[in-house]
Amino acid sequence: MTNLPMNIQENISLLPFNTFGIDKKARFFVQAKTEEDVKAALLKSKELKIPVFVLGGGSNILLTKDIDALVIKIEIQGIQVLKDNEDEILVEVGAGENWHQFVMFCIENNWAGVENLSLIPGTVGASPMQNIGAYGVEIKEVFHHLKAINRQTLEEEIFDWEACKFGYRESVFKNELKDQFIIVRVIFRLRKKPVLHVAYGAIKQTLEEMGISNPGIKNISDAVIQIRQSKLPDPKQIGNAGSFFKNPTIPKEQFEALKAEFPEIPSFPMEEGVKVPAAWLIEKAGWKGKTFGKIGVHKFQPLVLVNYGGADGTEIQDLSRKIQESVQHKFGILLQPEVNFI
Ligand SMILES: Cc1cc2nc3c(=O)[nH]c(=O)nc-3n(C[C@H](O)[C@H](O)[C@H](O)COP(=O)(O)OP(=O)(O)OC[C@H]3O[C@@H](n4cnc5c(N)ncnc54)[C@H](O)[C@@H]3O)c2cc1C
Protein backbone atom coordinates (compact mmCIF):
# COMPACT_ATOMS: atom_id res chain seq x y z
CA MET A 1 0.00 0.00 0.00
CA THR A 2 1.22 3.48 -0.80
CA ASN A 3 0.70 6.82 0.91
CA LEU A 4 0.44 5.44 4.41
CA PRO A 5 0.35 8.45 6.76
CA MET A 6 1.27 8.75 10.43
CA ASN A 7 3.79 5.96 10.32
CA ILE A 8 1.32 3.20 9.65
CA GLN A 9 3.36 0.04 9.20
CA GLU A 10 2.29 -3.02 7.22
CA ASN A 11 2.52 -6.71 8.07
CA ILE A 12 4.35 -6.38 11.32
CA SER A 13 4.88 -9.16 13.83
CA LEU A 14 2.99 -8.75 17.12
CA LEU A 15 5.46 -11.01 18.95
CA PRO A 16 6.95 -8.13 21.00
CA PHE A 17 3.47 -6.77 21.77
CA ASN A 18 1.74 -9.68 23.55
CA THR A 19 2.78 -11.30 26.83
CA PHE A 20 1.76 -14.78 25.64
CA GLY A 21 4.64 -14.51 23.17
CA ILE A 22 2.58 -15.52 20.12
CA ASP A 23 4.00 -14.66 16.72
CA LYS A 24 1.05 -13.37 14.67
CA LYS A 25 0.97 -10.41 12.32
CA ALA A 26 -0.98 -7.16 12.13
CA ARG A 27 -1.95 -6.16 8.60
CA PHE A 28 -1.54 -2.51 9.59
CA PHE A 29 -0.05 -1.16 12.82
CA VAL A 30 0.18 2.34 14.25
CA GLN A 31 1.28 3.82 17.57
CA ALA A 32 -1.09 6.52 18.89
CA LYS A 33 0.61 8.97 21.22
CA THR A 34 -2.19 11.55 21.38
CA GLU A 35 -5.97 11.73 21.07
CA GLU A 36 -5.44 13.29 17.64
CA ASP A 37 -3.42 10.24 16.55
CA VAL A 38 -6.30 7.99 17.64
CA LYS A 39 -8.80 10.03 15.64
CA ALA A 40 -6.54 10.13 12.57
CA ALA A 41 -6.09 6.36 12.75
CA LEU A 42 -9.86 5.84 13.02
CA LEU A 43 -10.40 8.08 9.98
CA LYS A 44 -7.77 6.14 8.06
CA SER A 45 -9.46 2.84 8.90
CA LYS A 46 -12.75 4.18 7.53
CA GLU A 47 -11.03 5.39 4.37
CA LEU A 48 -9.34 2.02 3.88
CA LYS A 49 -12.52 0.17 4.92
CA ILE A 50 -10.66 -2.00 7.36
CA PRO A 51 -11.58 -2.82 10.95
CA VAL A 52 -9.70 -1.49 13.97
CA PHE A 53 -8.13 -3.44 16.81
CA VAL A 54 -7.10 -1.58 19.97
CA LEU A 55 -3.94 -2.78 21.68
CA GLY A 56 -2.61 -1.82 25.09
CA GLY A 57 0.18 -3.89 26.63
CA GLY A 58 -1.12 -7.13 25.09
CA SER A 59 -1.27 -8.84 28.49
CA ASN A 60 -4.86 -10.01 28.32
CA ILE A 61 -5.12 -11.33 24.76
CA LEU A 62 -4.50 -14.65 23.04
CA LEU A 63 -3.68 -14.24 19.36
CA THR A 64 -5.08 -17.23 17.47
CA LYS A 65 -4.65 -15.69 14.01
CA ASP A 66 -3.15 -12.75 12.15
CA ILE A 67 -5.10 -9.54 12.77
CA ASP A 68 -6.57 -8.39 9.46
CA ALA A 69 -7.14 -4.87 10.74
CA LEU A 70 -5.44 -1.62 11.66
CA VAL A 71 -3.96 -2.29 15.09
CA ILE A 72 -3.85 0.97 17.08
CA LYS A 73 -1.37 0.66 19.93
CA ILE A 74 -2.35 3.15 22.61
CA GLU A 75 0.69 5.10 23.86
CA ILE A 76 -0.95 8.25 25.28
CA GLN A 77 1.18 9.39 28.22
CA GLY A 78 0.79 11.89 31.04
CA ILE A 79 -0.17 12.06 34.70
CA GLN A 80 -1.91 15.24 35.80
CA VAL A 81 -3.31 16.16 39.21
CA LEU A 82 -6.80 17.66 38.80
CA LYS A 83 -7.66 18.16 42.45
CA ASP A 84 -5.67 17.94 45.65
CA ASN A 85 -7.05 18.44 49.16
CA GLU A 86 -6.20 17.02 52.56
CA ASP A 87 -8.31 13.89 52.01
CA GLU A 88 -7.94 12.98 48.36
CA ILE A 89 -6.29 13.42 45.00
CA LEU A 90 -8.02 13.36 41.64
CA VAL A 91 -5.48 12.32 39.02
CA GLU A 92 -5.87 11.99 35.25
CA VAL A 93 -3.69 9.38 33.57
CA GLY A 94 -2.98 8.77 29.88
CA ALA A 95 -4.30 5.42 28.64
CA GLY A 96 -0.85 4.36 27.43
CA GLU A 97 0.86 4.75 30.80
CA ASN A 98 2.14 1.47 32.23
CA TRP A 99 -0.19 0.36 35.05
CA HIS A 100 2.51 -0.81 37.47
CA GLN A 101 4.60 2.33 36.96
CA PHE A 102 1.50 4.39 37.75
CA VAL A 103 1.01 2.35 40.96
CA MET A 104 4.65 2.99 41.90
CA PHE A 105 4.16 6.73 41.23
CA CYS A 106 1.13 6.76 43.56
CA ILE A 107 3.11 5.03 46.29
CA GLU A 108 6.02 7.47 45.98
CA ASN A 109 3.54 10.31 46.43
CA ASN A 110 1.71 8.58 49.28
CA TRP A 111 -1.55 8.35 47.34
CA ALA A 112 -3.41 5.29 48.59
CA GLY A 113 -5.84 2.91 46.91
CA VAL A 114 -3.94 1.01 44.23
CA GLU A 115 -1.17 -0.60 46.32
CA ASN A 116 -2.86 -4.05 46.25
CA LEU A 117 -2.85 -3.83 42.44
CA SER A 118 0.95 -3.68 42.18
CA LEU A 119 2.70 -5.61 39.42
CA ILE A 120 -0.36 -6.17 37.21
CA PRO A 121 0.96 -5.89 33.64
CA GLY A 122 -0.62 -3.74 30.96
CA THR A 123 -1.75 -0.17 30.45
CA VAL A 124 -3.88 2.24 32.45
CA GLY A 125 -6.36 2.46 29.53
CA ALA A 126 -7.14 -1.25 29.68
CA SER A 127 -7.61 -1.27 33.46
CA PRO A 128 -11.32 -0.32 33.37
CA MET A 129 -12.00 -2.77 30.50
CA GLN A 130 -12.12 -5.73 32.84
CA ASN A 131 -12.11 -3.80 36.14
CA ILE A 132 -8.72 -5.26 37.04
CA GLY A 133 -8.49 -6.70 40.50
CA ALA A 134 -6.15 -8.49 42.87
CA TYR A 135 -5.76 -9.16 46.59
CA GLY A 136 -9.23 -7.96 47.54
CA VAL A 137 -9.23 -4.67 45.56
CA GLU A 138 -10.66 -3.76 42.14
CA ILE A 139 -10.07 -0.53 40.22
CA LYS A 140 -13.75 0.34 40.52
CA GLU A 141 -12.91 1.34 44.12
CA VAL A 142 -10.59 4.15 42.97
CA PHE A 143 -12.13 4.90 39.58
CA HIS A 144 -13.69 8.35 39.12
CA HIS A 145 -14.40 8.72 35.39
CA LEU A 146 -12.79 8.15 32.00
CA LYS A 147 -12.55 9.78 28.61
CA ALA A 148 -13.06 7.66 25.50
CA ILE A 149 -13.29 8.34 21.78
CA ASN A 150 -16.39 7.06 20.06
CA ARG A 151 -15.14 4.94 17.15
CA GLN A 152 -18.04 6.01 14.91
CA THR A 153 -18.38 9.73 15.59
CA LEU A 154 -14.75 10.39 16.68
CA GLU A 155 -16.19 12.50 19.52
CA GLU A 156 -14.70 12.28 22.99
CA GLU A 157 -17.21 11.11 25.61
CA ILE A 158 -17.08 10.91 29.39
CA PHE A 159 -18.06 7.80 31.33
CA ASP A 160 -18.65 8.15 35.04
CA TRP A 161 -18.59 5.27 37.52
CA GLU A 162 -22.22 4.26 36.93
CA ALA A 163 -21.87 4.33 33.14
CA CYS A 164 -18.97 1.86 33.22
CA LYS A 165 -21.17 -0.86 34.79
CA PHE A 166 -18.27 -2.53 36.54
CA GLY A 167 -18.58 -6.16 37.60
CA TYR A 168 -16.16 -8.97 38.38
CA ARG A 169 -13.65 -8.67 35.49
CA GLU A 170 -16.39 -6.90 33.53
CA SER A 171 -17.42 -3.46 32.32
CA VAL A 172 -19.76 -1.98 29.77
CA PHE A 173 -16.81 -1.91 27.33
CA LYS A 174 -16.69 -5.71 27.22
CA ASN A 175 -20.45 -6.00 26.81
CA GLU A 176 -23.04 -3.51 25.42
CA LEU A 177 -20.34 -1.13 24.18
CA LYS A 178 -17.84 -3.73 22.98
CA ASP A 179 -15.60 -2.37 20.18
CA GLN A 180 -17.31 1.03 20.23
CA PHE A 181 -14.90 3.19 22.26
CA ILE A 182 -11.19 3.78 22.66
CA ILE A 183 -10.28 4.79 26.20
CA VAL A 184 -7.80 7.70 26.14
CA ARG A 185 -7.61 8.97 29.75
CA VAL A 186 -8.64 7.52 33.10
CA ILE A 187 -9.27 9.64 36.20
CA PHE A 188 -8.73 8.06 39.62
CA ARG A 189 -9.67 9.26 43.10
CA LEU A 190 -6.91 8.29 45.53
CA ARG A 191 -6.79 8.77 49.28
CA LYS A 192 -4.36 10.74 51.38
CA LYS A 193 -5.42 8.70 54.43
CA PRO A 194 -5.06 5.05 53.46
CA VAL A 195 -7.60 2.34 54.14
CA LEU A 196 -5.49 -0.80 54.09
CA HIS A 197 -6.64 -4.17 52.73
CA VAL A 198 -4.51 -6.89 54.26
CA ALA A 199 -7.08 -9.66 54.83
CA TYR A 200 -6.84 -11.22 51.40
CA GLY A 201 -4.48 -14.02 50.34
CA ALA A 202 -1.10 -14.21 52.00
CA ILE A 203 -0.61 -10.44 52.57
CA LYS A 204 -0.83 -10.58 56.38
CA GLN A 205 1.50 -13.56 56.60
CA THR A 206 4.00 -12.01 54.18
CA LEU A 207 4.04 -8.75 56.17
CA GLU A 208 4.72 -10.79 59.33
CA GLU A 209 7.57 -12.60 57.60
CA MET A 210 8.92 -9.20 56.54
CA GLY A 211 8.82 -8.14 60.22
CA ILE A 212 6.26 -5.39 59.61
CA SER A 213 3.61 -4.88 62.28
CA ASN A 214 2.32 -1.43 61.35
CA PRO A 215 2.24 -1.44 57.53
CA GLY A 216 1.87 1.50 55.17
CA ILE A 217 0.98 1.41 51.48
CA LYS A 218 4.60 0.83 50.42
CA ASN A 219 4.80 -2.24 52.68
CA ILE A 220 1.54 -3.62 51.24
CA SER A 221 2.84 -3.07 47.72
CA ASP A 222 6.15 -4.79 48.57
CA ALA A 223 4.26 -7.75 50.06
CA VAL A 224 1.99 -8.06 47.01
CA ILE A 225 5.00 -7.90 44.68
CA GLN A 226 6.79 -10.58 46.68
CA ILE A 227 3.75 -12.90 46.64
CA ARG A 228 3.13 -12.37 42.93
CA GLN A 229 6.78 -12.99 42.03
CA SER A 230 6.78 -16.24 43.99
CA LYS A 231 3.59 -17.56 42.37
CA LEU A 232 3.20 -16.13 38.90
CA PRO A 233 5.48 -16.68 35.90
CA ASP A 234 7.16 -13.54 34.57
CA PRO A 235 5.93 -13.08 30.96
CA LYS A 236 9.46 -11.98 30.01
CA GLN A 237 10.60 -15.52 30.78
CA ILE A 238 7.49 -17.68 30.15
CA GLY A 239 4.68 -16.45 27.92
CA ASN A 240 1.32 -16.09 29.68
CA ALA A 241 -1.61 -13.74 30.21
CA GLY A 242 -2.16 -14.19 33.95
CA SER A 243 -5.37 -15.92 35.03
CA PHE A 244 -6.79 -17.62 31.98
CA PHE A 245 -10.26 -18.22 33.48
CA LYS A 246 -12.52 -16.28 35.82
CA ASN A 247 -13.50 -17.69 39.20
CA PRO A 248 -17.04 -19.03 38.72
CA THR A 249 -19.96 -18.13 41.00
CA ILE A 250 -22.42 -21.02 41.27
CA PRO A 251 -25.88 -21.34 42.85
CA LYS A 252 -25.88 -22.21 46.57
CA GLU A 253 -27.67 -25.54 45.99
CA GLN A 254 -25.07 -26.63 43.41
CA PHE A 255 -22.32 -25.67 45.84
CA GLU A 256 -23.90 -27.69 48.69
CA ALA A 257 -24.09 -30.75 46.42
CA LEU A 258 -20.41 -30.33 45.44
CA LYS A 259 -19.40 -29.85 49.07
CA ALA A 260 -21.03 -33.14 49.98
CA GLU A 261 -18.81 -34.84 47.40
CA PHE A 262 -15.67 -32.67 47.89
CA PRO A 263 -15.72 -31.47 51.54
CA GLU A 264 -12.42 -29.58 51.11
CA ILE A 265 -13.71 -27.34 48.28
CA PRO A 266 -12.76 -23.71 49.02
CA SER A 267 -15.51 -21.10 48.68
CA PHE A 268 -16.39 -17.43 49.12
CA PRO A 269 -20.03 -16.48 49.78
CA MET A 270 -21.36 -13.89 47.32
CA GLU A 271 -24.72 -12.13 46.98
CA GLU A 272 -25.57 -14.14 43.86
CA GLY A 273 -24.29 -17.53 45.06
CA VAL A 274 -20.95 -19.03 46.00
CA LYS A 275 -17.62 -18.21 44.33
CA VAL A 276 -15.28 -21.18 43.84
CA PRO A 277 -11.60 -20.73 42.88
CA ALA A 278 -11.09 -21.85 39.28
CA ALA A 279 -7.49 -22.78 40.21
CA TRP A 280 -8.79 -25.40 42.68
CA LEU A 281 -11.17 -26.89 40.10
CA ILE A 282 -8.42 -27.10 37.47
CA GLU A 283 -5.96 -28.64 39.92
CA LYS A 284 -8.51 -31.23 41.11
CA ALA A 285 -9.26 -32.08 37.47
CA GLY A 286 -5.59 -33.07 37.22
CA TRP A 287 -4.11 -30.27 35.11
CA LYS A 288 -1.68 -28.52 37.46
CA GLY A 289 1.89 -28.54 36.13
CA LYS A 290 1.03 -30.57 33.01
CA THR A 291 3.19 -29.85 29.95
CA PHE A 292 2.23 -30.58 26.34
CA GLY A 293 5.12 -29.79 24.00
CA LYS A 294 5.56 -26.02 23.95
CA ILE A 295 2.62 -25.25 26.20
CA GLY A 296 1.31 -26.17 29.62
CA VAL A 297 -0.49 -25.40 32.86
CA HIS A 298 1.74 -23.55 35.32
CA LYS A 299 3.24 -25.67 38.11
CA PHE A 300 2.41 -23.23 40.94
CA GLN A 301 -0.71 -21.53 39.61
CA PRO A 302 -2.99 -23.83 37.55
CA LEU A 303 -5.09 -20.84 36.49
CA VAL A 304 -2.20 -19.69 34.31
CA LEU A 305 -1.66 -21.34 30.91
CA VAL A 306 1.84 -20.91 29.56
CA ASN A 307 3.77 -20.78 26.31
CA TYR A 308 7.28 -22.12 26.88
CA GLY A 309 8.27 -20.65 23.51
CA GLY A 310 7.20 -20.90 19.90
CA ALA A 311 3.63 -22.09 20.52
CA ASP A 312 0.71 -21.18 18.31
CA GLY A 313 -2.26 -19.42 19.91
CA THR A 314 -4.60 -22.14 18.67
CA GLU A 315 -2.69 -24.75 20.71
CA ILE A 316 -3.37 -22.75 23.86
CA GLN A 317 -6.98 -22.26 22.80
CA ASP A 318 -7.35 -26.07 22.35
CA LEU A 319 -5.80 -26.71 25.77
CA SER A 320 -8.18 -24.20 27.36
CA ARG A 321 -11.15 -26.02 25.77
CA LYS A 322 -9.93 -29.38 27.08
CA ILE A 323 -9.62 -27.90 30.57
CA GLN A 324 -13.12 -26.44 30.31
CA GLU A 325 -14.53 -29.82 29.22
CA SER A 326 -12.83 -31.77 31.97
CA VAL A 327 -13.83 -29.30 34.71
CA GLN A 328 -17.39 -29.32 33.43
CA HIS A 329 -17.43 -33.12 33.35
CA LYS A 330 -16.07 -33.44 36.90
CA PHE A 331 -17.87 -30.57 38.64
CA GLY A 332 -20.69 -29.46 36.29
CA ILE A 333 -19.15 -25.96 36.08
CA LEU A 334 -18.34 -24.26 32.77
CA LEU A 335 -15.28 -22.03 33.25
CA GLN A 336 -15.41 -18.71 31.39
CA PRO A 337 -12.15 -17.35 29.94
CA GLU A 338 -10.86 -14.06 31.33
CA VAL A 339 -8.42 -13.71 28.41
CA ASN A 340 -9.69 -12.15 25.15
CA PHE A 341 -9.35 -14.53 22.18
CA ILE A 342 -8.38 -12.71 19.00
C1 LIG B 1 1.48 -12.18 34.64
C2 LIG B 1 0.14 -11.54 34.53
C3 LIG B 1 -0.60 -11.29 35.69
C4 LIG B 1 -1.86 -10.69 35.61
N1 LIG B 1 -2.54 -10.45 36.77
C5 LIG B 1 -3.75 -9.84 36.73
C6 LIG B 1 -4.46 -9.55 37.94
O1 LIG B 1 -3.98 -9.81 39.04
N2 LIG B 1 -5.66 -8.96 37.84
C7 LIG B 1 -6.22 -8.62 36.63
O2 LIG B 1 -7.34 -8.07 36.63
N3 LIG B 1 -5.58 -8.89 35.47
C8 LIG B 1 -4.36 -9.48 35.49
N4 LIG B 1 -3.69 -9.76 34.32
C9 LIG B 1 -4.33 -9.43 33.03
C10 LIG B 1 -3.89 -8.08 32.43
O3 LIG B 1 -2.70 -7.63 33.00
C11 LIG B 1 -4.96 -7.00 32.62
O4 LIG B 1 -6.18 -7.42 32.07
C12 LIG B 1 -4.56 -5.67 31.96
O5 LIG B 1 -5.47 -4.66 32.33
C13 LIG B 1 -4.50 -5.75 30.44
O6 LIG B 1 -3.93 -4.55 29.98
P1 LIG B 1 -3.28 -4.43 28.53
O7 LIG B 1 -2.96 -3.00 28.33
O8 LIG B 1 -2.18 -5.39 28.39
O9 LIG B 1 -4.53 -4.85 27.62
P2 LIG B 1 -4.50 -5.64 26.23
O10 LIG B 1 -4.18 -7.07 26.49
O11 LIG B 1 -3.68 -4.92 25.24
O12 LIG B 1 -6.04 -5.52 25.83
C14 LIG B 1 -7.03 -6.18 26.56
C15 LIG B 1 -8.39 -5.82 25.95
O13 LIG B 1 -8.68 -4.44 26.16
C16 LIG B 1 -8.80 -3.73 24.92
N5 LIG B 1 -8.13 -2.44 25.13
C17 LIG B 1 -6.87 -2.24 25.55
N6 LIG B 1 -6.62 -0.93 25.71
C18 LIG B 1 -7.75 -0.28 25.37
C19 LIG B 1 -8.14 1.11 25.31
N7 LIG B 1 -7.30 2.09 25.65
N8 LIG B 1 -9.40 1.41 24.90
C20 LIG B 1 -10.27 0.44 24.55
N9 LIG B 1 -9.95 -0.89 24.58
C21 LIG B 1 -8.73 -1.24 25.00
C22 LIG B 1 -8.14 -4.63 23.88
O14 LIG B 1 -8.71 -4.43 22.58
C23 LIG B 1 -8.44 -6.02 24.42
O15 LIG B 1 -9.75 -6.42 24.08
C24 LIG B 1 -2.42 -10.36 34.36
C25 LIG B 1 -1.68 -10.61 33.19
C26 LIG B 1 -0.42 -11.18 33.27
C27 LIG B 1 0.37 -11.43 32.03
Side-chain angles (χ1 to χ4, degrees):
M1 171 170 298
T2 52
N3 288 332
L4 287 174
M6 49 177 311
N7 299 327
I8 293 182
Q9 296 169 268
E10 274 187 271
N11 284 323
I12 83 138
S13 167
L14 294 171
L15 182 61
F17 303 116
N18 73 100
T19 60
F20 245 128
I22 306 290
D23 193 5
K24 292 290 178 200
K25 284 200 173 77
R27 181 157 164 223
F28 301 109
F29 179 88
V30 68
Q31 286 149 300
K33 297 189 187 300
T34 63
E35 280 85 342
E36 291 316 309
D37 286 351
V38 171
K39 289 179 191 172
L42 286 170
L43 271 179
K44 196 68 198 168
S45 76
K46 287 185 202 307
E47 196 185 310
L48 298 172
K49 295 193 172 54
I50 47 164
V52 154
F53 178 78
V54 186
L55 182 66
S59 65
N60 202 19
I61 56 171
L62 175 64
L63 295 170
T64 61
K65 54 181 188 301
D66 291 338
I67 304 187
D68 189 14
L70 171 57
V71 172
I72 307 179
K73 185 167 182 297
I74 304 300
E75 296 189 352
I76 300 171
Q77 304 291 307
I79 301 182
Q80 197 194 346
V81 173
L82 303 181
K83 188 176 144 194
D84 184 351
N85 65 30
E86 64 178 32
D87 296 321
E88 64 183 34
I89 282 273
L90 217 55
V91 60
E92 180 177 277
V93 190
E97 290 282 350
N98 175 277
W99 172 264
H100 177 66
Q101 278 165 19
F102 167 60
V103 172
M104 292 297 101
F105 184 77
C106 293
I107 287 165
E108 273 163 34
N109 284 284
N110 242 325
W111 302 340
V114 285
E115 53 282 357
N116 291 51
L117 305 175
S118 299
L119 215 60
I120 297 180
T123 56
V124 165
S127 66
M129 290 293 296
Q130 70 155 8
N131 177 27
I132 57 167
Y135 298 95
V137 174
E138 294 179 322
I139 71 132
K140 70 173 189 192
E141 287 151 52
V142 290
F143 177 90
H144 192 266
H145 67 276
L146 64 77
K147 297 176 181 172
I149 294 173
N150 184 317
R151 285 167 57 162
Q152 283 313 315
T153 64
L154 307 194
E155 295 293 326
E156 195 168 294
E157 296 183 27
I158 288 185
F159 288 80
D160 64 11
W161 195 91
E162 290 284 326
C164 290
K165 298 190 185 170
F166 291 122
Y168 166 60
R169 300 295 178 274
E170 290 293 346
S171 75
V172 73
F173 303 105
K174 278 181 79 177
N175 295 293
E176 298 99 289
L177 298 183
K178 190 172 161 53
D179 295 335
Q180 291 185 43
F181 285 88
I182 299 184
I183 297 166
V184 289
R185 308 254 165 202
V186 187
I187 294 84
F188 299 98
R189 192 211 309 257
L190 300 159
R191 290 169 183 269
K192 293 274 185 75
K193 297 168 190 155
V195 176
L196 303 180
H197 300 269
V198 293
Y200 201 91
I203 297 185
K204 234 186 204 155
Q205 191 196 326
T206 308
L207 287 168
E208 273 166 29
E209 284 163 13
M210 292 161 89
I212 290 153
S213 51
N214 187 17
I217 58 172
K218 168 87 168 71
N219 304 124
I220 305 257
S221 168
D222 288 345
V224 167
I225 290 172
Q226 189 172 315
I227 300 165
R228 292 182 71 100
Q229 282 175 338
S230 70
K231 283 202 339 200
L232 290 171
D234 178 353
K236 285 192 193 105
Q237 275 141 29
I238 304 175
N240 76 92
S243 302
F244 199 93
F245 299 101
K246 297 191 211 176
N247 291 315
T249 295
I250 58 175
K252 208 161 179 290
E253 307 72 55
Q254 186 184 5
F255 175 73
E256 293 305 336
L258 277 176
K259 191 153 176 73
E261 204 180 334
F262 306 96
E264 75 285 14
I265 186 169
S267 61
F268 305 93
M270 307 289 287
E271 253 170 50
E272 334 76 79
V274 180
K275 189 180 269 188
V276 179
W280 186 88
L281 299 169
I282 297 168
E283 182 172 354
K284 286 287 152 185
W287 293 96
K288 188 175 178 180
K290 287 270 160 70
T291 300
F292 309 91
K294 297 169 183 159
I295 62 170
V297 179
H298 193 250
K299 59 183 174 191
F300 300 139
Q301 176 44 283
L303 203 44
V304 177
L305 306 190
V306 292
N307 170 14
Y308 290 108
D312 193 85
T314 54
E315 292 175 73
I316 292 166
Q317 185 176 30
D318 288 349
L319 173 60
S320 76
R321 288 202 179 122
K322 286 187 186 128
I323 293 172
Q324 275 176 316
E325 278 163 23
S326 90
V327 166
Q328 187 162 35
H329 185 250
K330 194 170 171 76
F331 300 104
I333 299 174
L334 178 60
L335 293 178
Q336 298 295 338
E338 181 179 314
V339 170
N340 299 285
F341 291 87
I342 312 298

